[in-house]
Amino acid sequence: MAADQEQEQRRRLLDVASRFPLPSGCRFSYGTAGFRADGATMAPAVCRAGILAALRSVKLAGAAVGIVITASHNPIGDNGVKIADPDGGMMDQQWEPFADALANAPDPDALLQMVLQFVKDEGIPLGGHHTAQVLLGRDTRPTGEYLLDAALQGINAIVGAHAIDMGILTTPQLHWMVWSKNKGTKASESDYFTQLINSFRRMLELLPKDKGGYELAKKLIVDGANGIGGVKLEQMKAELSGLDIIVRNSGKEGEGILNHLCGADFVQKERVTPHGFGPEDVGVRCASLDGDADRLVYFQMSSSSDNKVDLVDGDKILSLFALFIREQLDVINNNGSQVDKSLPARLGIVQTAYANGASTQFLKGLGLEVVFTPTGVKYLHKKALEYDIGIYFEANGHGTVVFSEDFISQLESLSNDLSSQAANCSAQYHAAMRLMAATQLINQAVGDALSGLLLVEAILQYKRWSFQNWCELYSDLPSRQLKVKVVDRSSIVTTDAETKVSQPSSLQELIDKETANYTQGRCFVRPSGTEDVVRVYAEASTQVEADSLAKSVAHHVERLLG
């Protein structure tokens, strides 16, 4: 970097750090998906995330990086910032320690020295013209516009960085835009809508004409959590032929408060109807998004006498996707036709220890390969990329399907071969085309409630399944989660994807001893990623036993660490 450019770079960093000083006594922590706190305190962290994103783009030869300002399923007063890497996934974990340090640099001089040292260590070539590009998005939170400006100022503090405001978006839209832009394909919001609508329409066109059984009701009521997902679904629902979508908690003025008594997180944890639903909705298929539309669950009211729901969580969404994809692969590879075409594919299912044991047994019973990672989508996504087709979901409804480029290339080749032969009316051709449409419909960059919802609806129509058919795939084992306040959560160290405790050494033995007392008992503990608590999860054959197991293990944790 030339001397005058270096001086300009130093001046900009010192200037922006002075404008956004760290609040006294405040410490930011890069969690599973970025920084998150009270929105009024977030400007320094968001500004520094802007600096970080610009440096990340420079490091990666000017590839587009993304920033989305959201606190997801948190209350409306909170806000946060997530950084998307060029592949549309979450920022490389190796940069997280620097993200933490940068967000907490105590003064402008410390920030400047930290950046200069990091740039040197990483070999980041500062000083070019438009050497970085950062796409920005935000949700509908009241602090969003103010924090967007903080992010812009942080990006502009890096000489040559170029910020592009993509507008008010769902988190998955911004991730998709980053992914698409770096692939060299169209990346606007209208392109996103067009891709989802066209691929959904294509999947409906490929429905078997002669398949008997239940005809899925077209009516679907969607709880938009009074967030951005409801707004976007309202925009696109008129184009979705074959589906009659009614959006409640849509984000319209006066309809309700973001994530308050509504949204996927509320429905999944409380197992009751969200605000705005009543007895007239009994028996209707319903879905719920979270505030930034990266989580999805389904539910149905079974009785007008209370507000309890039958829930389909992320585990059962994963199971539906796995059944559909495996069925298409089976048709392609075991079709018995004279066309000598096959599509070898390694299909992997990725779960965390929080996945209900019944779902894991169901998937393994199908002969599928099931593997586990630590809690956090960043771990699940990375593992899923090791397969030709990787499917991952957390029980909270955050997940997706990723297809390798090699698999998509082979699928395209197979589809082209079959379409040019008499085989283009065959079951094999239709299965290949359904898979091709699914690769376009699902958001491969990140979990996306809107694309996930449309894939669910297309598969339910394909299988001619009612909501009840889906519910009855398997019965969840009763479970209980507890939190135990501790002095230092880091004193618990886990192994085997957080299913075993290695420190303190006596704790795992106590957990095993308690678990052995219960039929179908399973229990693990792990330190929280965000607060000084230890989380206890237990399963057993009855709710009373699951509660008892969780309570017993929580007592041991409290005694050893409290």
Side-chain angles (χ1 to χ4, degrees):
M1 187 190 298
D4 58 339
Q5 279 187 322
E6 187 173 346
Q7 282 303 112
E8 173 65 8
Q9 182 59 83
R10 285 171 175 267
R11 185 195 66 76
R12 289 193 191 186
L13 286 167
L14 287 170
D15 184 46
V16 81
S18 300
R19 269 180 271 141
F20 294 97
L22 202 64
S24 178
C26 186
R27 174 155 187 88
F28 297 107
S29 177
Y30 199 93
T32 54
F35 298 109
R36 203 174 290 180
D38 184 310
T41 70
M42 279 297 300
V46 172
C47 172
R48 295 164 191 218
I51 296 171
L52 182 74
L55 291 175
R56 185 89 183 129
S57 178
V58 179
K59 167 75 175 176
L60 300 171
V65 169
I67 283 182
V68 59
I69 295 164
T70 180
S72 190
H73 53 280
N74 281 33
I76 191 168
D78 288 354
N79 217 325
V81 59
K82 300 179 182 180
I83 298 173
D85 248 5
D87 64 357
M90 293 175 189
M91 185 182 71
D92 190 311
Q93 292 167 45
Q94 292 184 355
W95 275 46
E96 289 181 13
F98 175 62
D100 253 354
L102 186 65
N104 295 293
D107 55 61
D109 283 329
L111 183 142
L112 174 62
Q113 294 310 315
M114 195 177 289
V115 170
L116 294 177
Q117 187 61 49
F118 186 73
V119 163
K120 182 181 174 185
D121 293 345
E122 288 285 322
I124 299 173
L126 289 181
H129 180 66
H130 281 203
T131 53
Q133 51 179 334
V134 182
L135 308 189
L136 285 158
R138 66 180 176 93
D139 68 13
T140 53
R141 291 168 190 270
T143 52
E145 193 170 357
Y146 161 63
L147 294 177
L148 183 83
D149 181 61
L152 280 165
Q153 292 191 49
I155 295 161
N156 291 332
I158 299 300
V159 172
H162 180 51
I164 308 166
D165 183 2
M166 306 301 289
I168 298 177
L169 302 168
T170 70
T171 293
Q173 281 183 308
L174 192 279
H175 282 260
W176 180 89
M177 288 170 181
V178 171
W179 180 67
S180 297
K181 190 170 183 64
N182 288 314
K183 284 176 63 185
T185 54
K186 292 179 179 178
S188 71
E189 183 175 39
S190 65
D191 296 319
Y192 169 89
F193 285 140
T194 298
Q195 182 167 316
L196 260 60
I197 291 162
N198 288 349
S199 50
F200 177 70
R201 186 177 294 141
R202 185 75 181 118
M203 287 198 77
L204 296 193
E205 288 168 355
L206 290 161
L207 291 174
K209 301 293 185 280
D210 56 350
K211 202 166 185 176
Y214 176 85
E215 186 166 339
L216 188 72
K218 299 289 187 283
K219 184 178 180 182
L220 173 69
I221 308 175
V222 180
D223 159 32
N226 290 307
I228 188 61
V231 174
K232 300 303 180 183
L233 192 54
E234 284 282 12
Q235 284 178 237
M236 66 188 290
K237 71 177 189 179
E239 301 290 323
L240 297 169
S241 54
L243 202 52
D244 176 19
I245 294 176
I246 299 162
V247 184
R248 305 249 177 95
N249 304 318
S250 67
K252 289 174 190 161
E253 191 75 33
E255 195 173 353
I257 300 168
L258 175 72
N259 292 328
H260 180 62
L261 302 179
C262 60
D265 199 56
F266 173 79
V267 173
Q268 189 246 340
K269 285 189 168 58
E270 303 299 326
R271 301 199 175 216
V272 296
T273 54
H275 172 74
F277 287 70
E280 69 279 5
D281 301 319
V282 169
V284 179
R285 190 172 71 262
C286 303
S288 188
L289 324 175
D290 73 332
D292 68 336
D294 62 3
R295 294 184 180 188
L296 169 71
V297 297
Y298 271 72
F299 66 94
Q300 187 171 279
M301 291 180 69
S302 52
S303 167
S304 58
S305 61
D306 59 39
N307 66 343
K308 288 186 167 53
V309 299
D310 294 325
L311 177 74
V312 168
D313 63 7
D315 294 337
K316 277 201 172 123
I317 294 174
L318 183 156
S319 298
L320 181 72
F321 289 176
L323 280 170
F324 171 77
I325 289 169
R326 221 274 293 270
E327 188 172 328
Q328 306 317 304
L329 289 172
D330 285 348
V331 170
I332 291 167
N333 294 322
N334 307 307
N335 67 96
S337 76
Q338 294 179 341
V339 182
D340 185 24
K341 299 288 178 189
S342 65
L343 187 65
R346 187 171 173 227
L347 172 60
I349 310 298
V350 190
Q351 294 186 310
T352 73
Y354 284 112
N356 194 276
S359 77
T360 306
Q361 287 307 113
F362 172 76
L363 293 160
K364 286 181 175 178
L366 295 173
L368 294 167
E369 181 179 346
V370 183
V371 294
F372 289 85
T373 72
T375 303
V377 172
K378 60 188 176 187
Y379 301 110
L380 290 155
H381 192 92
K382 185 178 179 183
K383 189 67 181 177
L385 292 171
E386 295 178 13
Y387 296 88
D388 295 311
I389 306 170
I391 312 174
Y392 70 86
F393 266 85
E394 293 184 299
N396 62 29
H398 193 147
T400 193
V401 186
V402 290
F403 298 86
S404 74
E405 295 211 1
D406 185 55
F407 174 81
I408 292 175
S409 176
Q410 289 185 57
L411 180 59
E412 285 175 345
S413 177
L414 174 67
S415 303
N416 290 337
D417 287 350
L418 291 169
S419 68
S420 63
Q421 302 171 29
N424 64 4
C425 293
S426 69
Q428 188 183 30
Y429 173 73
H430 285 126
M433 293 307 292
R434 280 186 209 105
L435 270 185
M436 185 63 73
T439 69
Q440 292 291 309
L441 180 51
I442 199 70
N443 188 335
Q444 293 187 58
V446 73
D448 184 342
L450 298 182
S451 74
L453 179 142
L454 294 180
L455 185 55
V456 164
E457 291 299 314
I459 294 173
L460 290 178
Q461 290 200 41
Y462 164 77
K463 294 190 78 65
R464 297 255 177 170
W465 272 9
S466 66
F467 179 86
Q468 212 54 41
N469 292 143
W470 190 13
C471 264
E472 291 168 0
L473 269 182
Y474 57 82
S475 297
D476 281 332
L477 286 168
S479 65
R480 175 64 63 206
Q481 289 190 52
L482 297 176
K483 293 197 295 188
V484 182
K485 277 201 172 293
V486 294
V487 176
D488 179 14
R489 68 183 187 270
S490 67
S491 57
I492 282 202
V493 180
T494 62
T495 61
D496 295 352
E498 300 179 314
T499 60
K500 300 288 182 188
V501 176
S502 57
Q503 294 291 332
S505 55
S506 60
L507 182 53
Q508 188 58 50
E509 192 178 328
L510 292 167
I511 294 171
D512 291 342
K513 190 175 178 182
E514 293 290 353
T515 304
N517 295 325
Y518 299 94
T519 310
Q520 294 182 287
R522 180 171 77 92
C523 186
F524 67 92
V525 304
R526 56 178 286 272
S528 166
T530 54
E531 51 187 321
D532 269 324
V533 299
V534 171
R535 301 189 188 279
V536 178
Y537 178 89
E539 285 178 357
S541 56
T542 68
Q543 190 61 57
V544 170
E545 289 188 339
D547 292 347
S548 175
L549 175 55
K551 192 175 177 182
S552 300
V553 170
H555 175 71
H556 289 305
V557 172
E558 199 168 35
R559 185 173 55 81
L560 288 170
L561 303 170

